[in-house]
Amino acid sequence: MTETRDTPPARKPRAFCAPPSETAEHRAGFVTFVGRPNVGKSTLMNALVGEKVAITSSKPQTTRRAIRGIVHRASGQLIVVDTPGVHRPRTLLGERLNALVQDTLGDVDVIGFCVPAGEPIGPGDTYINEQLDAHGARVRKVAIVTKTDRVGPERVAEQLIAVSALREWDLVIPLSALTGDQVDVLADELIRLMPVSPPLYEAESTTDETEEDRVAELIREAALEGVSDELPHSLAVTIDEMIEREGDGLLQIFANVWVERDSQKGIIIGHRGSRLADVGRRARGEIEALLGRKVFLKLHVKVAKEWQRDPKQLGRLGF
Ligand SMILES: Nc1nc2c(ncn2[C@@H]2O[C@H](COP(=O)(O)OP(=O)(O)OP(=O)(O)O)[C@@H](O)[C@H]2O)c(=O)[nH]1
Ligand SMILES: [Mg+2]
């Protein structure tokens, strides 16, 4: 028997659950967002997932790993792979981050090329666009004009025309991850481009990042705020231990904030430790929100000389 719209309102609504039928055509697959640093890739992934899976900041090179965020919709599932911004590498770390992006591009169903609405398309963007040629028609290509809330409709239209001239895209879409405008439209369109497939992740999961990695990233995000020049690039965070205190069960987190030079250590710590205390306070708030419990956070600032250029130290820091 089919249900009609005349169903009496008194009747208890059924929980929505897509029946496993052949006509349902549940789709699932991988999409990666690529683009220059700072164009809003991680903010967009978080908006799609509905949770802060990746840290974001106004500093370039915020993302340093391929981070997966899972988007669940009735019609399908998207596994978003957020990647580091592609840039001209100046260090071994930079080279490795660019190589990571290249590797990721070969592994996905859809590539989402991101350009901000307010900045003209430049050599950095055209370089990345050319890299997409290596991935044939099997990989769908979508252009995403980000940060539309920052400009007027005329500028958005200009950018849509400019990006459309780069290649024949499967989709060109303007959106704002900040206001959420068009984010759901993108999710629906991306699902339509995915292969028919059962869900690849369980319904509750939003990422496969470990708790420890997420905690380290939240500390790095807090440390990034307010620093400038080379310092954002020089920061790395590792976790020594996350352990419950006997008695009250308080979660104790012991973490290291790495910098590359002694002078940077002083900046991070600040006058009488004031800056580090502030970083710790902000990070702890975010970590408690993520884990849903009280934590004690102890940060140590350490120097790993020129770690961005040193293969051994890069390995130790997880790159
Ligand atoms: N106004 C506005 N700002 C945005 C939007 N999306 C991102 N931003 C801001 O742009 C900055 C960079 O955002 P991210 O998401 O970290 O950029 P990214 O492309 O992941 O950067 P990398 O990881 O360094 O490559 C942050 O300050 C964000 O708050 C948006 O839709 N509107
Ligand atoms: Mg990012």
Side-chain angles (χ1 to χ4, degrees), residues 4 20 32 42 56 93 102 105 118 132 149 152 157 167 174 190 212 228 278 287 294:
T4 70
T32 190
S42 302
T56 64
L93 173 66
Q102 292 302 328
L105 288 176
L132 307 191
D149 58 284
R167 68 169 60 244
L190 288 176
E212 198 170 296
S228 53
D278 188 45
I287 295 166
K294 286 259 167 240

Side-chain angles (χ1 to χ4, degrees), residues 3-299:
E3 239 175 326
T4 70
R5 272 193 235 156
D6 298 326
T7 308
R11 197 173 143 185
K12 206 173 163 206
R14 283 187 304 173
F16 178 79
C17 178
S21 83
E22 278 173 25
T23 51
E25 289 219 312
H26 185 278
R27 291 171 183 271
F30 292 78
V31 54
T32 190
F33 295 144
V34 289
R36 283 184 290 109
N38 226 22
V39 297
K41 302 176 292 297
S42 302
T43 308
L44 177 55
M45 174 170 78
N46 291 343
L48 283 163
V49 175
E51 188 185 310
K52 183 156 137 185
V53 170
I55 62 164
T56 64
S57 90
S58 57
K59 312 291 181 309
Q61 221 189 72
T62 300
T63 306
R64 289 177 176 164
R65 283 206 311 271
I67 295 176
R68 285 184 184 187
I70 326 293
V71 182
H72 306 270
R73 293 286 189 276
S75 57
Q77 189 177 70
L78 293 173
I79 296 101
V80 180
V81 189
D82 179 29
T83 60
V86 175
H87 59 291
R88 193 184 294 276
R90 285 181 300 147
T91 62
L92 188 57
L93 173 66
E95 281 171 31
R96 291 201 178 165
L97 297 186
N98 283 352
L100 174 67
V101 178
Q102 292 302 328
D103 280 356
T104 308
L105 288 176
D107 280 346
V108 295
D109 302 287
V110 180
I111 296 171
F113 171 68
C114 299
V115 283
E119 295 167 34
I121 289 171
D125 300 301
T126 44
Y127 170 77
I128 298 167
N129 176 52
E130 282 161 14
Q131 305 297 302
L132 307 191
D133 290 340
H135 307 278
R138 192 199 62 79
V139 182
R140 304 301 192 87
K141 297 173 191 77
V142 171
I144 303 167
V145 172
T146 61
K147 307 190 187 183
T148 53
D149 58 284
R150 281 205 178 156
V151 297
E154 275 172 22
R155 176 63 207 145
V156 173
E158 276 170 25
Q159 192 71 325
L160 290 172
I161 292 166
V163 82
S164 298
L166 291 175
R167 68 169 60 244
E168 209 157 300
W169 303 97
D170 290 285
L171 170 75
V172 179
I173 181 170
L175 56 76
S176 165
L178 201 72
T179 66
D181 186 34
Q182 293 257 91
V183 169
D184 279 338
V185 177
L186 176 69
D188 290 342
E189 291 294 329
L190 288 176
I191 288 171
R192 273 164 23 101
L193 293 172
M194 292 297 162
V196 173
S197 156
L200 304 172
Y201 280 81
E202 287 175 6
E204 306 77 44
S205 59
T206 52
T207 183
D208 51 12
E209 287 290 288
T210 65
E211 248 175 28
E212 198 170 296
D213 283 341
R214 293 181 82 177
V215 166
E217 285 288 84
L218 289 173
I219 297 168
R220 190 162 63 90
E221 186 181 53
L224 276 171
E225 201 168 297
V227 296
S228 53
D229 303 323
E230 284 307 298
L231 196 39
H233 299 272
S234 296
L235 285 173
V237 174
T238 56
I239 305 290
D240 270 346
E241 207 173 16
M242 287 175 55
I243 186 169
E244 272 189 17
R245 191 160 69 186
E246 266 182 48
D248 62 2
L250 182 75
L251 182 67
Q252 304 175 101
I253 300 174
F254 300 92
N256 304 306
V257 178
W258 297 93
V259 291
E260 294 195 284
R261 290 182 279 283
D262 285 322
S263 56
Q264 295 176 328
K265 194 172 167 178
I267 297 172
I268 288 293
I269 293 172
H271 182 60
R272 293 190 176 169
S274 59
R275 189 164 185 286
L276 188 64
D278 188 45
V279 168
R281 234 185 334 267
R282 281 184 285 114
R284 184 163 50 81
E286 291 280 336
I287 295 166
E288 287 179 342
L290 171 71
L291 303 180
R293 62 188 295 187
K294 286 259 167 240
V295 302
F296 165 83
L297 176 64
K298 181 78 186 160
L299 300 178

